[in-house]
């Protein structure tokens, strides 16, 4: 589970959104203050920046961060303002208490958590002066420790060397990151991790040396515990497996950082650790609860020591045992699983009842917080959300799919979680219930169709979840998708209506709600994968019409992109240029393309999503449509760079960042393979097919054939069938390759990959990582409009999309990545569902750019002028 998503669920009940959007409560008095004379004020992302107009800052250097708690933030900001303004020192700060809370929340990014104010000294001398003088003014003020920085004294000041200006580069794993310049003039990532680091070429100033020495005084050497490994980290602290060196007993150590890891009730990690200690003391002697061994403080951090319970999380066992994870499950497996699941549930309910007898509410019951011992007995873990039932507290911690209604208190919180567990044991999509409460009955009905579970057993769970007397019996109003042409037209009308109703043209950061990458990546609201470009492309190619006002929004923002906006086909401006040209906005598309050509692209990674292959494909496309020699030459140059860095079939591409590069269409070597295939179709040069084969073999090296005969990408701890980073995307390029050259190995692999697209359950519905990608892949083998009637599994996939579909004001909408909020984008949401359904029912079928949408009718032209140049 990607914990980044939780903080993007706090703003809107239906869509992922930036945590600060629309939040004005608790605004600091300086937030809207007019700047002093000859100062400028601007808002950059979540920050308010004040800067003297006559001060020139260096592009990088030592900068000072100020942390704060919610109750002293205004006081600290007053001191910083009164110090910096008369001295004409540039600074920025978070505008409101809610923004500060989010930076210190439990699952906030550990590398940036705690930062409230940033002060920008012009040189080391001013840095020392500010630390000394401002440090004295703020001495003793509390604030969370900023893990990426070096602390100054006993106050809330911290310092690190890093970037001041917006310069960017590619990291070793192909991510765009803020950059600093090394002595050779090369831009390298400005690393902001959970420990203080200084670039190897930077000398630590003498005035910081005593503070570095002080930071190293606290060690675990004198503890009677040996830490053996880290089990988990959050912004609140770590969870470690260790050994009591006095008894050799295996233990678990839970760490809590003061003022950090906040939950919505304002409690920090230390307060929650205190709750857990009190709960474990009260529950002492229960075999279903870990025993408390010790508690202590070290370097300001608090620790609990608990009994180590050997066991496997219940969630892990569910994934391993659930019949629908198999490609072709044995019918007997459904009865066997039901017997096991009912036993697990009985034990969990009995354990919760034992806790309730002691007057304690657990508050965070879910399948990750249940351990199953080797002998099959269960134990409950993680009591930091526990409370005395007499306090009638509301839920403060919850896993997706187990979030109780806001009005629930006391034991009702745990009863709700147990009801969700009943449903999720058989249909693990209960996170959708928070988006559409009626999904509880639908999921229960689906479970009773598949498993021999008593209907009354699930009726009780549905009543608890819905609170309206619902049952698992049939319902006429649940979402449905029918695999025929009339069903397609109904679905298209409903999905498009949901997409258009969700549009926010008044916003500057995004037009259509989608994945959190709209906010974590600069310019993410524009791009093909998650932004406006992808949605408008999908609407057009699926026959859902043109939308001039929304196209104007895209043009307006694309022509003046934010600094740091990426360049790639799916994550940046090349994809935007492609879509604008596709929609007929040729002049604007060329302007965006010219901006891209003026950037430094040579060091980009070798992935299709944001790297050189996608850029090369787009340049080749524009060379074809415009006849522009500049685009043609640039495309050839991109291809040369990709070929030089690709490596052998059994090797590793030079930009992969390790010995196990990612595989798949969007992130692996299938992207370069696609580029070389399209180049071959232009030139007829067989050497390009050879390069494509080399790239495909690199990806196939990362694949494994499962017991059922399906080929999937092997990630070490799991295998992946999906379009973006699994085997299905590889299979699509393999099939395009086989249209030009026979290859037995590739043909066998393509057949095995198609098996991976035939499973009866995928956890997400989206195009890049879910059911829709399987529909798109399987439909390519059939004449336009015939796939659903020719291949029953495609029809089944379309029907099964209803498992995920939610009704948003009566319109079909689909959850995005992590299933916690709805998405309208191409990669994860409704626009991608449209593309997949259009690949089945449209003529010509819809598809992704530069991939053959129907193998019997390639749609890529071979222009004479490019062939002649080659």
């Amino acid at each position: 589970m990607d914990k980044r998503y939780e903080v993007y669920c706090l703003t809107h009940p239906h869509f992922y959104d930036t945590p600060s959007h629309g939040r004005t409560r608790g605004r600091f008095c300086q937030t809207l203050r007019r700047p002093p004379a000859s100062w400028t004020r601007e808002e950059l992302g979540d920050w308010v920046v004040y800067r003297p107009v006559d001060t020139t800052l260096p592009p990088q250097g030592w900068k000072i961060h100020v942390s704060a708690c919610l109750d002293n933030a205004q006081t600290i900001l007053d001191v910083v303002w009164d110090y910096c303004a008369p001295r004409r020192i540039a600074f920025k700060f978070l505008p409101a208490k809610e923004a500060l809370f989010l930076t210190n929340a439990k699952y906030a990014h550990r590398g940036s958590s705690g930062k409230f104010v940033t002060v920008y000294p012009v040189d080391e001398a001013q840095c020392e002066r500010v630390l000394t003088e401002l440090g004295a003014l703020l001495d003793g003020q509390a604030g969370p420790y900023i893990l990426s920085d070096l602390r100054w004294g006993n106050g809330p000041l911290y310092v690190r060397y890093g970037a001041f200006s917006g310069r960017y580069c590619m990291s070793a794993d192909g991510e765009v990151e803020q950059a600093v310049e090394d002595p050779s003039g090369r831009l390298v990532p400005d690393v902001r991790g959970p420990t203080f680091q200084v670039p190897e070429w930077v000398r630590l100033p003498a005035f910081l040396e005593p503070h570095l020495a002080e930071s190293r005084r606290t060690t675990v050497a004198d503890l009677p515990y040996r830490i053996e490994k880290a089990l988990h980290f959050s912004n609140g602290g770590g969870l470690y497996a260790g050994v009591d060196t006095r008894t050799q007993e295996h233990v678990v150590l839970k760490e809590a950082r003061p003022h950090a890891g906040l939950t919505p009730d304002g409690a920090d990690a230390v307060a929650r650790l205190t709750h857990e200690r009190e709960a474990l003391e009260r529950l002492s002697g229960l075999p279903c609860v870990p025993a408390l061994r010790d508690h202590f403080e070290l370097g300001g951090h608090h620790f609990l020591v608990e009994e180590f319970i050997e066991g496997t999380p219940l969630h892990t066992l569910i994934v391993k045992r659930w019949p629908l994870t198999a490609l072709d499950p044995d019918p007997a497996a459904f009865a066997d699983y039901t017997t096991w699941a009912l036993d697990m549930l009985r034990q969990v309910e009995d354990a919760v009842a034992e806790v309730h007898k002691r007057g304690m509410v657990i508050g965070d019951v879910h399948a990750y917080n249940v351990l199953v011992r080797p002998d099959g007995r269960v134990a409950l873990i993680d009591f930091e959300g526990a409370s005395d039932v007499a306090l009638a507290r509301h839920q403060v911690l919850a896993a997706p799919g187990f979030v109780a209604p806001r009005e629930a208190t006391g034991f009702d919180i745990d009863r709700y979680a147990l009801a969700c567990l009943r449903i999720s044991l058989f249909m693990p999509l209960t996170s959708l219930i928070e988006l559409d409460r009626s999904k509880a009955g639908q999921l229960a009905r689906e479970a009773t169709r598949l498993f021999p579970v008593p209907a009354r057993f699930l009726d009780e769970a549905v009543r608890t979840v819905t609170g309206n007397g619902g049952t698992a019996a049939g319902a006429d109003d649940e979402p449905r998708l029918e695999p025929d042409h009339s069903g397609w037209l109904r679905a298209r009308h409903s999905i498009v209506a949901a997409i258009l109703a969700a549009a926010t043209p008044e916003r500057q950061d995004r037009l259509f709600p989608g994945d959190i990458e709209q906010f974590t990546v600069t310019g993410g609201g524009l791009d093909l994968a998650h932004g406006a470009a992808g949605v408008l492309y999908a609407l057009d190619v699926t026959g859902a019409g043109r939308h001039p006002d929304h196209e104007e929004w895209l043009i307006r923002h694309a022509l003046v992109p934010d600094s740091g906006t990426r360049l790639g086909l799916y994550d940046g401006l090349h994809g935007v240029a492609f879509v604008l040209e596709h929609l007929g906005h040729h002049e604007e598309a060329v302007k965006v393309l010219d901006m891209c050509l003026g950037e430094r692209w040579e060091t980009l990674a070798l992935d299709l999503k944001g790297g050189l292959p996608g850029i090369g494909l787009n340049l080749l496309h524009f060379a074809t449509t415009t006849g522009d020699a500049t685009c043609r030459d640039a495309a050839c140059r991109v291809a040369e760079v990709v070929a030089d860095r690709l490596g052998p079939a059994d090797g590793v591409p030079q930009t992969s960042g390790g010995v196990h590069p990612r595989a798949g269409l969007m992130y692996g070597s299938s992207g370069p393979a696609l580029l070389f295939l399209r180049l071959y179709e232009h030139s007829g040069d067989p050497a390009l097919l050879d390069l494509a084969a080399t790239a495909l073999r690199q990806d196939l090296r990362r694949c494994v054939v499962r017991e059922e005969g399906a080929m999937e990408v092997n990630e070490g701890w799991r295998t992946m069938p999906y379009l973006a980073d699994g085997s299905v995307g590889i299979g699509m390029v393999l099939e395009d390759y086989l249209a030009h050259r026979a290859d037995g190995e590739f043909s066998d692999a393509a057949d095995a990959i198609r098996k991976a697209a035939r499973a009866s359950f995928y956890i997400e519905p989206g195009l890049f990582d879910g059911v829709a990608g399987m529909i798109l892949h399987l439909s390519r083998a059939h004449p336009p409009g015939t796939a659903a009637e020719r291949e029953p599994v495609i029809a089944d996939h379309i029907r099964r999309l209803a498992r995920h579909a939610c009704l948003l004001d009566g319109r079909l909408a689909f959850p995005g990545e992590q299933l916690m909020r709805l998405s309208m984008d191409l990669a994860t949401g409704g626009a991608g569902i449209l593309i997949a359904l259009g690949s089945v029912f449209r003529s010509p079928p819809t598809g992704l750019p530069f991939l053959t949408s129907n193998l019997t009718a390639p749609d890529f032209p071979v222009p004479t002028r490019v062939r002649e140049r080659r």
Side-chain angles (χ1 to χ4, degrees), residues 43 85 88 111 132 159 218 245 259 290 302 307 323 372 386 415 475 643 677 760 778 808 843:
E43 297 184 14
R88 304 188 66 76
T132 302
V159 62
T218 301
T245 57
H259 315 302
H302 294 245
E307 168 195 9
V372 182
R415 294 186 184 112
L677 278 176
S760 56
L778 293 173
L808 182 63
S843 183

Side-chain angles (χ1 to χ4, degrees), residues 461-478:
V462 173
R463 283 193 294 270
T464 299
V465 169
T466 61
N468 62 5
T471 71
D476 296 328
D477 59 348
E478 68 182 46

Side-chain angles (χ1 to χ4, degrees), residues 30-31 46-48 50 77 81 91-95 116-117:
Q30 291 88 351
T31 296
D46 294 333
W47 298 90
V48 179
Y50 284 86
L77 184 56
W81 180 286
F91 63 99
K92 69 178 182 180
F93 59 91
L94 294 172
F116 171 45
V117 183

